[in-house]
Amino acid sequence: MSAMPSMSAAASAPLGDFSNVRLLVVGDVMLDRYWFGDASRISPEAPVPVVKIERSEERPGGAANVARNAAALGASVSLLALTGDDEPGVSLKRMMEKEGVDTCFYIDEAIDTVVKLRVIARQQQLLRIDFENVPSRDVLLAKLSEFERRLPEFDAVLFSDYGKGGLTHVSEMIQLARAANKLVFIDPKGEDYSVYAGATVITPNSAEMRQIVGRWQNEEELERKATALRESLKLDALLVTRSEAGMSLFRDGGTMHEKAVAREVYDVSGAGDTVIATLAVMLASGASWSRAIHVANMAAGIVVGKLGTAVCTRKELEAALGAGR
């Protein structure tokens, strides 16, 4: 496979100043709820564990988790999304503002804010319950108008697609952003990637990549398939996150690989959010591609060691980068 120059010098450089990075995150937000308890007996009603709930937590999920990850690194972040007129929507807005994210939530009274409820006992997830429905056309059009109005304020736009309907107009948004010379980052979803045409980079994981291009037998076949997809969508780059195999970046100039960081994996949920948020902040600050994916890979290695959707703080990232020199 073709390869790019060594990344050793870039890898050891200190993090820059991200305070001037202005990032707009657009996409599907959700509230992640966790119920923790003890499961010490089986129900007499059915062969299922009985969980006695002892405590609960709430965290921002989806595009909201992407936004908080970018803000945790020190970037100036705004979040444009849809919620219902309900308690989870209010809770989500409050949490985001507490974490320094400017929120522009369009309220759709016809829907409920997306909620993912997880029941956890003895550090194992026993059940997940999802509450969601499709947003209405009028609110989606209002969101598109707001996007066009606010676009000049930002250096880069990040679309976080969780397939909940909030990015119905993503093609139009990409065209507007690219016409304004903005960097465009996309965490994709679904089977039709043509809607992402013209973006700077998309970041599918291995399973999502296989869904689009089919399986591959070796690295050379992956590179051919990735290059064909990138060229058909007119992307600057394609980054495939590959879990224990690390990540691979495919560009015109060649292919770069980052090995997975050797850490104990506790929970991979939200790791993709951390990768794309870190990548966007790094590139928007002027970092090279090699430096950006190295730092994003280190950030992902940190969050998989945490339970549920989590952030990698700048302090944690600097410590990890320093240890890896």
Side-chain angles (χ1 to χ4, degrees):
M1 299 177 70
S2 55
M4 288 190 167
S6 168
M7 293 180 284
S8 57
S12 63
L15 287 176
D17 180 9
F18 300 142
S19 61
N20 291 324
V21 172
R22 301 167 302 164
L23 179 64
L24 175 62
V25 178
V26 187
D28 299 310
V29 297
M30 56 196 71
L31 183 65
D32 285 339
R33 282 185 165 150
Y34 299 86
W35 288 359
F36 298 92
D38 182 48
S40 58
R41 64 190 180 95
I42 301 298
S43 170
E45 304 167 354
V48 294
V50 175
V51 182
K52 182 181 178 183
I53 301 301
E54 297 170 346
R55 64 185 178 90
S56 63
E57 288 184 19
E58 291 185 342
R59 301 178 190 175
N65 189 46
V66 174
R68 68 196 281 251
N69 265 274
L73 294 177
S76 175
V77 184
S78 293
L79 175 61
L80 176 59
L82 304 176
T83 66
D85 186 14
D86 52 19
E87 178 271 330
V90 172
S91 181
L92 194 54
K93 184 177 178 67
R94 182 183 66 250
M95 284 190 288
M96 296 311 296
E97 291 177 345
K98 185 178 180 180
E99 298 204 35
V101 176
D102 167 54
T103 57
C104 182
F105 284 177
Y106 273 75
I107 294 176
D108 187 341
E109 296 181 351
I111 69 168
D112 298 321
T113 300
V114 177
V115 175
K116 291 183 179 181
L117 172 61
R118 297 170 176 88
V119 179
I120 299 171
R122 297 184 180 179
Q123 298 185 334
Q124 295 291 322
Q125 184 179 149
L126 302 182
L127 178 68
R128 193 181 95 182
I129 305 171
D130 291 3
F131 304 86
E132 61 185 67
N133 39 31
V134 180
S136 61
R137 180 176 180 275
D138 289 345
V139 177
L140 286 168
L141 287 172
K143 178 184 169 186
L144 175 60
S145 297
E146 180 69 7
F147 174 85
E148 187 171 9
R149 186 185 71 81
R150 294 199 61 185
L151 184 59
E153 303 172 22
F154 302 96
D155 306 308
V157 182
L158 194 163
F159 296 101
S160 179
D161 194 347
Y162 272 78
K164 309 302 181 187
L167 286 176
T168 298
H169 299 291
V170 67
S171 293
E172 294 95 322
M173 291 179 178
I174 292 171
Q175 291 174 16
L176 289 167
R178 293 300 266 172
N181 294 316
K182 310 296 182 182
L183 294 170
V184 176
F185 302 84
I186 298 176
D187 190 356
K189 198 75 172 180
E191 299 179 354
D192 181 15
Y193 278 18
S194 66
V195 296
Y196 307 130
T200 303
V201 60
I202 63 174
T203 62
N205 60 35
S206 293
E208 291 165 339
M209 187 69 174
R210 283 193 295 270
Q211 187 177 18
I212 299 301
V213 304
R215 294 186 176 275
W216 53 88
Q217 299 300 317
N218 50 49
E219 295 299 308
E220 289 73 20
E221 186 178 4
L222 171 59
E223 183 172 15
R224 287 196 300 272
K225 288 175 178 284
T227 299
L229 178 61
R230 181 182 61 79
E231 291 177 348
S232 69
L233 296 178
K234 297 180 172 59
L235 307 171
D236 291 358
L238 172 64
L239 178 66
V240 182
T241 56
R242 305 173 64 185
S243 192
E244 68 278 357
M247 57 179 65
S248 299
L249 180 75
F250 303 93
R251 295 179 66 215
D252 248 348
T255 299
M256 285 184 283
H257 296 292
E258 276 283 335
K259 295 181 180 179
V261 178
R263 290 177 183 270
E264 182 177 356
V265 176
Y266 189 78
D267 190 341
V268 299
S269 61
D273 297 340
T274 300
V275 168
I276 196 168
T278 307
L279 183 71
V281 171
M282 291 295 296
L283 289 175
S285 70
S288 66
W289 281 98
S290 59
R291 172 64 172 164
I293 68 165
H294 175 74
V295 174
N297 190 49
M298 294 296 290
I302 292 169
V303 297
V304 296
K306 301 180 180 183
L307 173 65
T309 50
V311 301
C312 169
T313 67
R314 184 185 177 99
K315 184 176 180 180
E316 289 174 321
L317 188 52
E318 287 176 332
L321 289 167
R325 289 176 191 171

